Structures are given as structure tokens and as C-alpha cells.
């Protein structure tokens, strides 16, 4: 047998990191998982343990594989028909010599099963890697052998992890059960099953969305991985220089090792190095299934390397001219880079982080200055060098161009304002028309004689402003002035004074509901009182069920904060609101309405005598019960397989008092629940029966 370290190098030390990451994953249950693949005339089976401990146990005991017929001619058999069972175990070591000499993956599996030691050689050995390998040898045998089995079905069969069933028929559907060969009370390894039929045979699909991004003497190849990960476990990537004769890029297929718990990889990537940028290269991709099947080749993609533009322009100066809104931009760019570009562009924006637009195009590669016209007050400009292919671009840092400006904007006019009863002030004025307007500053005073103070932290862009003032003070008026500011921070004169009068009448603040409770025959309400003094609280109620008008149920000037309403009818819906009225008879706005249903908490036993009959010859269970039809609107029956979740099975009218269940299977325990919905919209007490069928 070849040296094991020679084979294991193909996986690289990166897989060591992959195993270390898995140690932080959640604990996996010990079980044997099985998958199938239907071909035209046979069914392929692959299985494997989920933990290293289960892997070690099952390698010692072997596996028990059982085959059953589940469907025949489209009909499910009442009892699955057992066809055969086989004990499967790895072949003896002496039978592995031929396959090991010809396949590295088979050598890895053989070494994992029979080797005295299992050491991962990833290049230069380190003490940390040696300690890790010794402490995790079983984990490595398990992980590496399963990875090797993914790419070699023949080796997987030889290890006792695969099987080919050729005794199959198109009119039959089979169940294959796999479990540890030793079955005892101490065996904690769970078995599993899979359903398969050759009737559902489908050819392997073509790899999806195969693309290449060509760079400087390199290409990044990428393709869809997540959608086909249940079909393809690895891929062969091939390259050609003429589009006809392809050779594999690597001896071993490419495997994805980027999946992490909670962050599954969606695509696979491979970076290939190109000899030069002048030759055209072709690539194609082929998927490999868990059973060693090779899928359909992908579409061929091709391309050439793209040279990188190594030089970036640099703005060295900006000079204003004698003309308004005009400036000259000067930049630097190496002369040897002129042959690599087709032109320069100048882009501009009003803010450095804003949206830049092209203001000058098709500037010659030999040119190093350009005159810009119709500039704004503030302009951020950049120079872009455009490569020969148009995709290669290099952009300079931005440079600020500011025009000379000492003219302030016009003084704001036509000021208007109003204060509502809550002290919210809304003021507005005519919008300025200057192009370089930055915004407005708002000033406020509470007396006619005082100097108003600024209440805006920075200029606002809208020609309106919302302020809040205290209504309950001695000042009956508020005074506002507006100043316009441009982008060069030139300030206009203050506007004329806007005098806003406070309202004379102030209604109280509304109370709000805090909590409520529904008890037998009553509703208890709690609220937070209005903070105003000397106010009365009025509680109003409306019966929504009867569509009645609002009715006053409580008026109080006391400090109470709760009320118990007993004038109710069960299952009627009521809406409540509360408001405060001050001594000037000004009413607050009503609180937000509170909608509550008065209910009876007693359970009605409307359903009686819930019982059943079992007919095992016809595979039926008959359920029957007694009830008063006049009180019942309908019945809801729930069905539950013992140990499983409950679900609604049937909804029946009040006249029906029995029903037959034909969807039952032998040796199962069924639990049925029945509940009546009464004509008054209440529910009866739930009745239950448990049947061992």
C-alpha cells in the first residue's frame, strides 16, 4: 500500500481548520443516514454514520440493510412486503490492494479503517498540529474517510457504506432500512430509511450559472452550489486553449469546505492563473454525485486576461478665472500611462459624498488641464482616467472648487403662524429662489423688547418650522424672525417680526386607560387621571353587539381611578372611552377607545357520551356522541397520532352526531378530541377518547 501521508496531502491543511470549526457546532445525534439515487435499471444506496463514535461502532459491527415493497402498481400495500435483508461490512484489508493502487480516495478509506495510525501531513509539521492530530485521530479517520467516500462510490461499497440493487421493477416503490447490525438495548445508534423507485429516474442536471471574471493574468470561476448541493458533492473543472481539447485543472475533484452552521455557502469559487493576457482560454464544469456519477457538462465559457491600469490621475491645482462661474482644473498623470488610456473625464458634485455627474468628457490622454464653466457656489471635482477597454478606470481624489460670493440672499417675507391648544407652533414663509441657498435660521422671543435668540442648531432647508411653547404662562404672545443663509454662509437681514398669539381657552389633557380585567359578569377598568386640577371625569360606554349609542356610565369629580361595570350581557362586545371636563366646561379629547368582550368563564358541557367502535376488518373507526342540537352551532373534531402534534380533522354541523374515520393504520394509537361551538359563540368542554388500533 502506498504511503498514507502521500494521499492525505491532497486535502491540504485547510481541512484541519474545517475540523476544528466543527468542534464548536451543536452536538449531533448518533444515527446512520441513508440516501438513494434511481438509475434506469438499478437503485444506488449510500449511508454513513453521523458521529465519529457511531462510525467506529458500525465499522466493527457492520450494517443491516433491509428492502421492502411499499407500493405496487400505484397502490400502497397495507403491510410493507419484506423482500430481503443483508448484513454488510467492509471487505478485508487484503482485498483492497488493487483499488488502493489506482485511487487515492480508496487509500484514505483503507487507512482510516485498517491503518495503525492516522496522521494528517499538511506540509511543514508544527507541534500544535501534531498535538491536535493525536488528540483527534478518530475524528480525523471519520471525517476524511467520509469525504473520500463522497468522490468514490466503488470505495464506499468496499467499505460497507454503499450498495447497488439491480432487482428492481418499474411498477414497484421500495423502502430501504439501514441500521447497525447489532441490535440491543445498549445500542444508541438510530437507524433510518429511504424511499426509492426507478420510475422517478431523472438524468443528472447541468451545473448552473457557470461564470468567469477575467482579471490580470487570472480568472475567478464561480458557479451555483446551494441549489444542487443535494445532487453534486464535488466538481471537475477543465480548461482548454482551443475550445476543443480540455484537460482537468486538478487531479482530484473540487469540494466545497465553506459551509458553516447557520451560514451555508451559496456559490463555489476557483481562481486560475493565466500565462498571459493575449491568449483566449476556455472552461467547462462537470458535477460528480455521491455515487460517483458524472453529470452533464456545463456550457463552455471563455475569455482573455485584462491588464490592470496601474496609474491614477492627481489634481494638483484649481484656478479661478476673471469670468464668473469659471475655473481651470490642472492634474498630473505619468506620460508612460497615456498609451494605456483612451481619454480623461471630469465629474462633479455639490457635496463630496453626493452623486457625481460627468461635466467634461473625451479629454485627450495628453491633456493636463481643462476649463470648467457654469459652476455652482461649491463644487467637488474628480478626474477619471478611462482605460482602452473602458472597464479599467482610475479616479483621483476630489478637490473643492468654490466661487467668490459675498452677496447675501434676500430677506424672508410673508411670515405666517399659529399656536394650537397644546402649545405647538407652526410657522411658514415665502421660499427664497437663490440657487446657492443653504437654508434658514429661526429666532424666537417672548417679549417685544427682548433680543430674539436662535432656536435652530443649523440652517433648515424647509420654509416652515414647528416649535413648542408653554401655554400656561403669563406671556400671551410669541415673537419670531427668520434669516436666510447661502452656501458661502452669507446671512440675510432678519425678517419682520411675526407675532403669534396663544389661545385664550385651554382644554384639559385627556385621561388614558391603564388596564382592565374581565371577570364573571363584570369588567373592571383602570385609568390614569388627567393632570389638570378641578376637573371631572366622564366614562362612556357603547354596546357594539347591539349597535347602541354612547351612554354615560360614570361622572365623578373625586380622585377615583377605577370603575367596575356590572350592567353587562355575556358575549356582548363593549367599547369604552373617558374624557376630562374642566370648570370652564371645556372638554378634553376622548381617550383612545377600549374594546372589551364580556364573557362567561364557565365551561358548558354540551357534548355527552363521546364514544367509539373499531372495525379492524374494514380498517375503520366509528365515533359517536350525544348533544342538544338547539344549543350547538357546529362541532370541531381534532385528530392526533399518539406522540405527534394535534390538528383539526373535521368541522361538522349540529345535526351530525357520528362520523367514520377510514384513514387509520394497524398498531397505531389515535386520540380524538371533540368540542362544540354553541349558538351564543361560546365553547363547550372538550371530550377525548384514546383508541389503540
Amino acid at each position: 500500500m502506498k504511503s498514507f501521508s502521500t494521499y492525505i496531502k491532497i486535502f491540504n491543511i485547510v481541512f484541519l481548520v474545517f475540523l476544528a470549526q466543527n468542534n464548536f457546532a451543536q452536538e449531533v445525534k448518533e444515527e446512520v443516514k441513508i440516501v438513494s439515487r434511481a438509475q434506469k435499471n438499478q437503485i444506488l444506496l449510500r449511508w454513513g454514520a453521523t458521529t465519529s463514535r457511531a462510525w467506529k461502532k458500525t465499522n466493527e459491527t457492520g450494517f443491516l440493510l433491509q428492502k421492502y415493497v411499499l407500493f405496487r402498481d400505484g397502490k400502497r400495500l397495507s403491510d410493507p412486503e419484506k423482500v430481503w435483508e443483508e448484513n454488510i461490512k467492509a471487505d478485508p484489508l487484503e482485498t483492497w490492494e488493487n483499488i488502493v493502487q489506482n485511487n487515492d480516495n480508496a487509500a484514505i478509506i483503507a487507512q482510516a479503517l485498517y491503518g495503525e495510525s492516522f496522521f494528517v501531513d499538511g506540509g511543514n509539521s508544527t507541534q500544535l498540529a501534531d498535538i491536535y492530530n493525536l488528540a483527534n485521530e478518530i475524528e480525523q479517520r471519520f471525517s476524511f474517510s467520509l469525504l473520500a467516500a463522497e468522490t468514490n462510490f466503488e470505495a464506499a461499497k468496499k467499505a460497507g457504506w454503499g450498495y447497488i440493487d439491480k432487482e428492481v421493477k418499474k411498477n414497484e416503490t421500495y423502502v430501504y432500512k439501514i441500521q447497525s447490525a447489532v441490535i440491543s438495548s445498549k445500542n444508541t445508534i438510530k437507524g433510518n430509511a429511504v424511499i426509492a423507485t426507478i420510475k422517478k429516474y431523472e438524468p443528472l442536471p447541468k451545473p448552473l450559472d457557470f461564470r468567469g471574471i477575467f482579471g490580470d493574468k487570472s480568472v475567478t470561476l464561480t458557479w451555483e452550489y446551494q441549489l444542487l448541493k443535494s445532487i453534486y458533492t464535488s466538481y471537475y473543472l477543465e480548461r482548454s486553449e482551443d475550445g476543443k481539447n480540455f484537460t482537468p485543472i486538478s487531479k482530484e475533484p473540487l469540494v466545497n469546505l465553506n459551509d458553516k452552521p447557520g451560514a451555508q455557502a451559496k456559490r463555489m469559487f476557483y481562481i486560475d492563473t493565466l500565462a498571459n493576457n493575449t491568449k483566449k482560454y476556455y472552461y467547462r464544469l462537470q458535477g460528480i454525485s455521491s455515487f460517483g456519477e458524472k453529470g452533464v457538462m456545463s456550457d463552455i465559457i471563455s475569455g482573455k486576461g485584462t491588464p490592470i491600469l496601474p496609474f491614477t490621475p492627481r489634481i494638483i491645482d484649481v484656478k479661478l478665472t476673471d469670468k464668473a462661474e469659471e475655473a481651470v482644473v490642472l492634474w498630473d498623470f505619468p506620460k508612460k500611462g497615456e498609451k494605456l488610456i483612451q481619454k480623461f473625464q471630469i465629474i462633479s458634485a455639490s457635496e463630496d459624498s453626493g452623486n457625481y455627474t460627468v461635466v467634461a468628457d473625451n479629454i485627450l490622454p495628453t491633456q493636463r488641464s481643462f476649463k470648467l464653466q457654469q459652476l455652482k457656489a461649491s463644487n467637488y471635482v474628480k478626474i477619471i482616467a478611462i482605460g482602452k477597454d473602458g472597464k479599467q478606470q482610475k479616479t483621483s481624489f476630489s478637490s473643492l472648487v468654490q466661487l467668490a460670493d459675498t452677496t447675501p440672499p434676500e430677506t424672508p417675507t410673508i411670515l405666517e403662524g399659529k399656536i394650537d391648544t397644546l402649545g405647538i407652533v407652526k410657522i411658514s414663509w415665502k421660499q427664497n429662489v437663490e440657487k446657492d441657498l443653504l437654508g434658514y435660521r429661526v429666532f424666537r422671543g417672548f417679549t417685544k423688547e427682548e433680543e430674539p435668540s436662535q432656536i435652530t442648531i443649523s440652517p433648515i432647508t424647509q420654509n416652515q418650522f414647528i416649535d413648542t411653547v408653554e401655554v400656561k404662562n403669563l406671556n400671551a404672545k410669541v415673537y419670531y424672525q427668520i434669516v436666510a443663509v447661502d452656501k458661502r454662509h452669507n446671512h440675510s437681514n432678519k425678517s419682520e417680526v411675526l407675532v403669534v398669539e396663544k389661545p385664550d381657552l385651554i382644554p384639559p389633557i385627556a385621561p388614558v386607560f391603564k388596564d382592565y380585567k374581565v371577570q364573571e359578569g363584570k369588567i373592571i377598568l383602570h385609568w390614569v387621571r388627567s393632570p389638570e386640577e378641578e376637573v371631572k371625569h366622564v366614562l362612556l360606554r357603547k354596546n357594539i353587539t347591539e349597535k347602541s349609542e354612547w351612554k354615560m356610565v360614570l361622572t365623578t369629580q373625586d380622585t377615583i381611578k377605577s370603575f367596575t361595570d356590572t350592567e353587562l350581557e355575556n358575549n356582548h362586545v363593549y367599547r369604552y372611552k373617558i374624557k376630562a371636563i374642566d370648570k370652564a366646561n371645556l372638554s378634553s379629547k376622548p381617550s383612545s377607545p377600549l374594546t372589551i368582550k364580556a364573557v362567561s368563564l364557565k365551561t358548558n358541557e354540551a357534548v355527552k357520551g363521546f364514544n367509539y367502535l373499531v372495525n379492524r376488518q374494514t380498517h375503520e373507526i366509528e365515533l359517536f356522541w350525544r348533544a342538544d342540537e338547539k344549543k350547538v352551532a357546529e362541532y370541531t373534531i381534532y385528530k392526533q397520532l399518539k406522540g405527534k402534534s394535534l390538528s383539526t380533522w373535521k368541522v361538522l354541523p349540529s345535526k351530525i352526531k357520528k362520523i367514520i374515520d377510514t384513514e387509520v393504520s394497524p398498531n397505531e394509537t389515535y386520540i380524538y378530541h371533540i368540542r362544540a361551538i354553541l349558538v351564543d359563540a361560546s365553547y363547550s368542554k372538550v371530550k377525548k377518547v384514546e383508541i389503540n388500533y
Side-chain angles (χ1 to χ4, degrees):
M1 185 178 293
K2 294 180 182 178
S3 170
F4 172 68
S5 61
T6 302
Y7 299 121
I8 210 67
K9 285 180 181 178
I10 64 174
F11 290 96
N12 203 294
I13 198 63
V14 71
F15 198 74
L16 185 65
V17 180
F18 171 74
L19 292 176
Q21 291 174 342
N22 282 350
N23 289 337
F24 297 97
Q26 296 182 352
E27 184 178 353
V28 181
K29 294 181 179 179
E30 288 192 345
E31 55 184 320
V32 180
K33 296 278 191 176
I34 184 170
V35 295
S36 65
R37 163 70 178 158
Q39 294 185 336
K40 291 182 179 180
N41 300 308
Q42 60 187 9
I43 293 176
L44 310 181
L45 301 169
R46 274 268 286 113
W47 57 86
T50 57
T51 67
S52 58
R53 191 170 71 170
W55 176 86
K56 188 174 185 297
K57 288 181 181 178
T58 53
N59 287 339
E60 294 170 353
T61 63
F63 300 90
L64 179 63
L65 179 64
Q66 297 174 325
K67 177 182 178 181
Y68 296 85
V69 179
L70 183 63
F71 287 89
R72 181 175 286 122
D73 297 324
K75 296 180 180 180
R76 179 168 180 168
L77 304 184
S78 57
D79 293 311
E81 179 183 303
K82 187 173 182 179
V83 182
W84 49 253
E85 70 177 30
E86 289 195 25
N87 287 301
I88 300 176
K89 200 172 183 181
D91 290 349
L93 175 61
E94 57 268 17
T95 65
W96 284 75
E97 183 175 357
N98 290 336
I99 191 172
V100 162
Q101 293 297 330
N102 297 318
N103 188 275
D104 293 347
N105 291 316
I108 293 171
I109 296 173
Q111 184 70 19
L113 292 175
Y114 300 109
E116 294 182 0
S117 64
F118 195 96
F119 186 78
V120 177
D121 181 7
N124 295 327
S125 177
T126 65
Q127 185 178 7
L128 178 62
D130 293 345
I131 294 172
Y132 183 88
N133 279 283
L134 291 173
N136 294 274
E137 181 172 335
I138 295 299
E139 193 73 38
Q140 291 178 18
R141 289 176 183 263
F142 162 65
S143 302
F144 279 108
S145 64
L146 290 190
L147 180 63
E150 286 292 323
T151 57
N152 193 308
F153 183 56
E154 290 300 320
K157 288 194 299 176
K158 202 164 185 62
W161 305 334
Y163 186 85
I164 299 178
D165 186 7
K166 298 183 179 180
E167 298 176 358
V168 292
K169 301 176 182 179
K170 285 188 177 181
N171 66 329
E172 292 182 341
T173 299
Y174 306 103
V175 174
Y176 296 92
K177 291 184 177 181
I178 189 72
Q179 59 188 1
S180 173
V182 177
I183 302 174
S184 66
S185 59
K186 296 182 180 180
N187 182 24
T188 60
I189 303 174
K190 178 185 174 184
N192 275 289
V194 67
I195 298 174
T197 174
I198 61 173
K199 187 177 180 180
K200 294 185 177 180
Y201 163 74
E202 292 181 356
L204 293 175
K206 182 188 298 185
L208 300 175
D209 196 22
F210 183 41
R211 290 183 285 173
I213 303 172
F214 288 83
D216 188 19
K217 294 184 179 180
S218 69
V219 57
T220 300
L221 301 162
T222 177
W223 58 93
E224 172 62 44
Y225 166 71
Q226 189 176 45
L227 292 178
L228 298 180
K229 66 184 296 184
S230 62
I231 300 174
Y232 292 136
T233 58
S234 59
Y235 292 86
Y236 276 117
L237 182 61
E238 298 181 347
R239 180 176 64 186
S240 170
E241 295 184 5
D242 58 6
K244 297 178 181 179
N245 301 307
F246 285 85
T247 56
I249 284 181
S250 61
K251 179 182 178 182
E252 299 297 329
L254 304 178
V255 179
N256 178 56
L257 296 178
N258 293 323
D259 279 346
K260 298 179 181 178
Q264 302 297 312
K266 294 184 178 180
R267 300 186 67 84
M268 283 186 65
F269 296 87
Y270 184 88
I271 299 176
D272 190 26
T273 302
L274 307 180
N276 55 63
N277 291 326
T278 59
K279 182 178 291 185
K280 190 174 185 179
Y281 292 89
Y282 303 81
Y283 294 90
R284 66 183 185 185
L285 186 70
Q286 186 179 40
I288 311 298
S289 74
S290 300
F291 301 94
E293 300 171 287
K294 294 183 179 181
V296 179
M297 282 288 184
S298 70
D299 295 334
I300 297 174
I301 62 172
S302 61
K304 295 180 180 180
T306 304
I308 296 175
L309 183 61
F311 305 112
T312 303
R314 180 175 62 90
I315 297 177
I316 56 177
D317 198 6
V318 177
K319 297 180 179 179
L320 299 177
T321 68
D322 295 336
K323 296 182 180 180
E325 301 179 350
E326 187 178 83
V328 177
V329 181
L330 300 96
W331 65 90
D332 185 27
F333 190 78
K335 190 167 185 65
K336 59 183 178 181
E338 293 177 359
K339 62 182 180 180
L340 302 177
I341 66 173
Q342 56 175 303
K343 62 179 179 179
F344 290 108
Q345 281 183 343
I346 300 180
I347 57 176
S348 176
S350 57
E351 297 181 3
D352 194 14
S353 60
N355 296 322
Y356 281 81
T357 58
V358 178
V359 295
D361 199 1
N362 296 318
I363 302 174
L364 296 176
T366 57
Q367 198 167 334
R368 297 295 183 271
S369 66
F370 192 85
K371 186 181 293 183
L372 295 176
Q373 298 175 336
Q374 297 181 346
L375 294 172
K376 301 176 182 178
S378 296
N379 309 266
Y380 288 88
V381 297
K382 297 179 181 180
I383 307 296
I384 304 178
I386 310 295
K388 292 290 187 181
D389 62 353
K391 295 181 180 179
Q392 295 289 339
Q393 299 183 5
K394 286 296 183 70
T395 304
S396 72
F397 290 110
S398 63
S399 181
L400 176 62
V401 181
Q402 283 189 317
L403 302 178
D405 181 15
T406 58
T407 304
E410 293 292 329
T411 303
T413 59
I414 314 179
L415 276 67
E416 296 178 349
K418 186 178 181 180
I419 303 178
D420 65 14
T421 56
L422 297 176
I424 298 176
V425 186
K426 295 181 179 180
I427 60 176
S428 62
W429 55 92
K430 183 180 178 181
Q431 178 71 46
N432 284 50
V433 296
E434 290 85 359
K435 293 182 179 180
D436 63 341
L437 183 71
L438 179 62
Y440 302 92
R441 298 184 185 274
V442 181
F443 295 79
R444 181 187 65 193
F446 291 102
T447 65
K448 186 176 181 180
E449 294 78 17
E450 75 171 292
E451 181 70 22
S453 37
Q454 182 176 294
I455 58 175
T456 50
I457 298 175
S458 58
I460 60 174
T461 57
Q462 303 91 347
N463 62 325
Q464 56 186 0
F465 183 75
I466 297 177
D467 189 21
T468 56
V469 296
E470 178 60 52
V471 177
K472 290 184 177 181
N473 60 21
L474 299 177
N475 301 97
K477 299 178 181 179
V478 186
Y479 303 86
Y480 292 95
Q481 287 182 286
I482 311 298
V483 172
V485 185
D486 65 16
K487 293 181 180 179
R488 296 301 298 272
H489 295 281
N490 296 310
H491 289 60
S492 72
N493 294 326
K494 288 181 180 178
S495 68
E496 293 183 357
V497 178
L498 171 65
V499 182
V500 184
E501 294 188 2
K502 296 180 181 179
D504 293 333
L505 302 176
I506 305 173
I509 298 173
V512 295
F513 286 112
K514 179 182 179 182
D515 194 10
Y516 73 89
K517 293 181 180 178
V518 179
Q519 296 181 357
E520 182 68 35
K522 58 185 177 181
I523 294 175
I524 304 173
L525 302 170
H526 298 272
W527 60 83
V528 178
R529 291 175 51 83
S530 171
E532 306 291 342
E533 298 179 356
E534 297 183 8
V535 295
K536 65 180 179 180
H537 289 74
V538 178
L539 180 64
L540 302 165
R541 181 189 67 198
K542 176 193 285 190
N543 189 329
I544 296 179
T545 304
E546 297 181 353
K547 299 181 180 179
S548 64
E549 299 296 326
W550 286 102
K551 178 183 177 182
M552 184 171 62
V553 295
L554 174 68
T555 301
T556 177
Q557 288 183 309
D558 205 345
T559 58
I560 65 171
K561 302 177 183 178
S562 64
F563 174 74
T564 301
D565 192 359
T566 58
E567 299 179 1
L568 306 170
E569 295 184 46
N570 284 337
N571 297 314
H572 280 223
V573 179
Y574 296 89
R575 180 169 292 174
Y576 296 88
K577 63 182 180 181
I578 190 169
K579 62 181 179 179
I581 302 176
D582 64 13
K583 59 184 178 180
N585 208 32
L586 291 174
S587 176
S588 72
K589 293 182 178 180
S591 66
S592 298
L594 194 62
T595 303
I596 309 172
K597 183 179 181 180
V599 297
S600 174
L601 302 180
K602 296 180 180 178
T603 304
N604 191 312
E605 293 193 8
V607 178
K608 299 178 181 179
F610 187 38
N611 216 323
Y612 65 93
L613 290 174
V614 174
N615 190 332
R616 289 184 171 83
Q617 292 181 348
T618 60
H619 298 288
E620 295 177 346
I621 296 177
E622 181 180 352
L623 304 171
F624 52 90
W625 59 92
R626 292 180 290 108
D628 188 351
E629 295 181 10
K630 295 180 180 179
K631 294 182 180 180
V632 176
E634 63 182 20
Y635 303 96
T636 302
I637 301 178
Y638 304 86
K639 182 178 178 181
Q640 178 184 11
L641 191 62
K642 191 168 185 178
K644 303 295 182 178
S645 59
L646 184 71
S647 62
T648 301
W649 180 49
K650 299 289 182 181
V651 177
L652 304 174
S654 60
K655 293 182 179 180
I656 297 177
K657 295 187 182 63
K658 72 174 182 177
I659 188 171
I660 296 175
D661 187 3
T662 59
E663 297 179 353
V664 294
S665 298
N667 302 320
E668 297 286 355
T669 300
Y670 296 92
I671 303 173
Y672 298 87
H673 306 252
I674 185 170
R675 184 179 69 176
I677 301 175
L678 307 182
V679 293
D680 61 357
S682 63
Y683 297 102
S684 74
K685 187 175 181 180
V686 176
K687 298 287 186 177
K688 181 182 79 171
V689 294
E690 182 172 327
I691 305 168
N692 293 320
Y693 185 81

